[in-house]
Amino acid sequence: MKVAEFFAKHRFSATIETDAILAEFNRQMTSGLEGHVQSLAMIPAYVDVDRSVPTDTPIIVLDAGGTNLRVAIVQFDKSGKPSISNFKKYAMPGTSGETLEMDDFFNQFANFLEPVCRHAENVGFCFSYPTEITPTLDGKLLRWTKQVAAPGVVGQMVGSGIAKAVEAKTGQKLAIRVLTDTVATLLAGKSAGISRRYSSYVGFILGTGTNIAYIESNRNITKIEGLDPSHAMVINIESGNFNGTPASDFDDRFDATTSDPGVGRFEKMISGAYLGGLGLVLLKHAASDGLFSTPAAEALLNLNSLSTKDFDDFVANPFLKGSPLDAIPFSDDDRRIFMTLGEPLFIRAANLTAANIAAAVLRSGAGHDKLHPVCITIDGSTYYKTRTAFFKSRVEASLRTTLGAKNVNFELISVEDAPMIGSAVAGLIA
Ligand code: BGC
C-alpha cells in the first residue's frame, strides 16, 4: 500500500481548511462569550491589562502546568525589569504515576511554598488547567488536562485550598491569585513590550498542552453581568478543547487510549503530551497495513509508548540512537517510510497551530494599522524545540499567509520565563 492510499484510508490529511477552521473558531468563541459553551470555554481572567505594575514589591510565583512545578520570588525594578530569585523546581504533583487525594495535593503545594512564604504575602499562581476564575482571582478547577491524576481536586478552589494548607502548616496567611499560563504569557509580553505601541496582545502556549488568550471588549462578554462596557478583559479561550477540526482514525484510536477520551481533541493533535503517542498509533496502523518490513512491523507493534521528543528526533534523524526506537530493526527503506509517515503529523500540527493563533488575532479585531501590530507572545517547548518539518518557521510562514491576506500586522515575540513573569504581573496588579 502507498502512503497516500494509507492516509486516505484512515481519513488523515496534513493540509487543513484554514478558512473553515477560522470561521468555526469564531462562531464558537462568540457562543462561549454568550455562555453557550460548545468546545471553547472562553474563561474571563478578570485581569485588566491597563493597570500599571507596582515596582520594588516582591511577590511569590508558583508555576504549575507541565511536568515541572516552579516556585520563585519575582520583583520588578523601577524601570520595569523583573528579577527572579529563590528559584526551585519540583515534579508536578499527580504526574509521577501516583493518584493523589485532594489533601495530599494541597499539602504538597504547602511544602513547596513553606521555604518562601515569609518573603511576600501575595502569590501569583500560574495554574495551567481549565479553571474558572473568580473576580478576586481564586480559581475552581473544571477538569484536569495533561493526564494529571488527582481527581479529588476537580471542582475545588485551588487558590484558597493551597492558602489554607499553607496556613495550617506555617501559620502564614497568603493571598493566592490564580491565572492560566496563556494569560500570564500575554501579560509578560505586554510588560516586555512596554516601549512598543501594540494595538493588542495574544499569549499562546504550545508545550505539554496548548491554549491561547487574547483581549476582548467587555461589551461582548455577555455571560457576565455588570462589566463596564468601556473596558476590556483577557479571555482564556481553552483552545486545546476545540472540536472543529476533522479527526482521522489515528486521532480517534489514540483519544480512546487517554484518561479523558473526547476531551482536548485539538490539544491531542498538536501538543507535547500527545504527539508521540499519536505518532505511535499511526506507526502501528502502518505496520498492520504492511508499510514496514516484517521484522520492523513486528517490533513496532510491540512498542508500548513513544514520547514526542523521541518521535520528533527520530523523524528528523532516523539514525539517532538513545530511544526505544533503537530496538526496532529498521532497514533504510523502513527509515524512509518512517519519515514519510511522521512528517505529515508535524505539518498538520504546525498548520493547526497557525490557525489557532490566527483565530485569536482576528478575534481581537486589532493590527490593521502597521504602526500598531498585534503582539503575539509564544511560550512552550513543543513550539520552540520541535525539529521536524521546520516546525516553528512553518507556523510563522502560515501566519504570514493567513493574516497577511487579511492585512493584519503582527509581531511574534518570546519572553524568558513568561509564565512566571506574567503571574507576578497579575498578582501585583490585582
Ligand atoms: C490547559 C490550559 C493551558 C494549556 C497550556 C491545557 O491543557 O487546559 O489551561 O493553558 O494546556 O499549558
Side-chain angles (χ1 to χ4, degrees), residues 65 127-130 145-146 180-182 205 209-211 236 238 267:
F127 184 65
S128 306
Y129 304 93
T145 54
K146 306 166 190 167
T180 193
D181 51 4
T182 50
I205 306 276
T210 190
N211 187 12
N236 165 22
E238 283 295 331
E267 176 159 282

Side-chain angles (χ1 to χ4, degrees), residues 64-346:
T67 38
N68 295 315
L69 181 136
R70 301 178 182 85
V71 186
I73 308 284
V74 174
Q75 184 161 337
F76 293 90
D77 69 13
K78 288 262 175 306
S79 69
K81 197 170 157 297
S83 63
I84 297 179
S85 60
N86 296 67
F87 178 85
K88 277 257 163 58
K89 195 158 97 176
Y90 306 91
M92 170 67 191
T95 61
S96 317
E98 78 287 22
T99 297
L100 290 180
E101 300 293 332
M102 179 187 80
D103 286 346
D104 292 338
F105 183 83
F106 288 150
N107 285 335
Q108 288 203 20
F109 276 83
N111 292 340
F112 303 147
L113 282 168
E114 191 179 14
V116 289
C117 70
R118 288 176 211 288
H119 288 62
E121 282 159 14
N122 277 342
V123 180
F125 181 20
C126 183
F127 184 65
S128 306
Y129 304 93
T131 304
E132 188 182 309
I133 304 296
T134 67
T136 56
L137 299 194
D138 201 349
K140 182 164 109 186
L141 177 64
L142 298 174
R143 59 187 162 81
W144 284 115
T145 54
K146 306 166 190 167
Q147 317 292 293
V148 176
V153 186
V154 175
Q156 300 300 319
M157 301 305 282
V158 291
S160 39
I162 295 173
K164 268 193 215 120
V166 172
E167 192 177 353
K169 193 172 172 61
T170 67
Q172 189 74 8
K173 278 192 185 345
L174 295 176
I176 303 187
R177 328 269 193 204
V178 183
L179 72 164
T180 193
D181 51 4
T182 50
V183 176
T185 298
L186 181 155
L187 292 173
K190 175 141 199 295
S191 76
I194 226 95
S195 63
R196 181 76 167 93
R197 297 198 192 161
Y198 292 109
S199 48
S200 196
Y201 297 86
V202 163
F204 174 69
I205 306 276
L206 183 60
T208 309
T210 190
N211 187 12
I212 197 157
Y214 76 109
I215 301 172
E216 180 64 81
S217 160
N218 283 355
R219 192 170 289 116
N220 297 329
I221 312 174
T222 51
K223 65 178 165 186
I224 312 176
E225 281 174 20
L227 292 179
D228 178 346
S230 67
H231 280 235
M233 197 192 280
V234 182
I235 297 286
N236 165 22
I237 297 182
E238 283 295 331
S239 59
N241 197 41
F242 184 55
N243 66 2
T245 46
S248 67
D249 290 349
F250 316 131
D251 298 298
D252 291 345
R253 289 284 174 82
F254 173 59
D255 179 50
T257 69
T258 59
S259 67
D260 50 359
V263 169
R265 293 301 301 263
F266 188 76
E267 176 159 282
K268 288 172 185 167
M269 295 180 184
I270 72 172
S271 79
Y274 307 105
L275 272 171
L278 178 61
L280 184 56
V281 168
L282 185 156
L283 293 167
K284 287 189 177 195
H285 275 75
S288 306
D289 284 356
L291 273 80
F292 288 101
S293 67
T294 307
E298 274 170 8
L300 271 172
L301 288 168
N302 283 324
L303 197 63
N304 287 328
S305 67
L306 182 60
S307 73
T308 297
K309 183 173 184 319
D310 287 340
F311 180 45
D312 174 40
D313 283 346
F314 202 80
V315 181
N317 173 7
F319 292 97
L320 201 71
K321 295 278 165 226
S323 83
L325 293 166
D326 281 1
I328 304 200
F330 285 124
S331 65
D332 277 3
D333 275 345
D334 287 328
R335 291 193 169 87
R336 285 189 191 94
I337 285 286
F338 193 106
M339 293 176 85
T340 312
L341 292 169
E343 270 169 0
L345 213 54
F346 288 97

Side-chain angles (χ1 to χ4, degrees), residues 398-411:
S398 170
L399 277 173
R400 279 203 303 277
T401 308
T402 308
L403 294 177
K406 298 182 193 312
N407 291 320
V408 173
N409 300 281
F410 65 96
E411 200 177 313

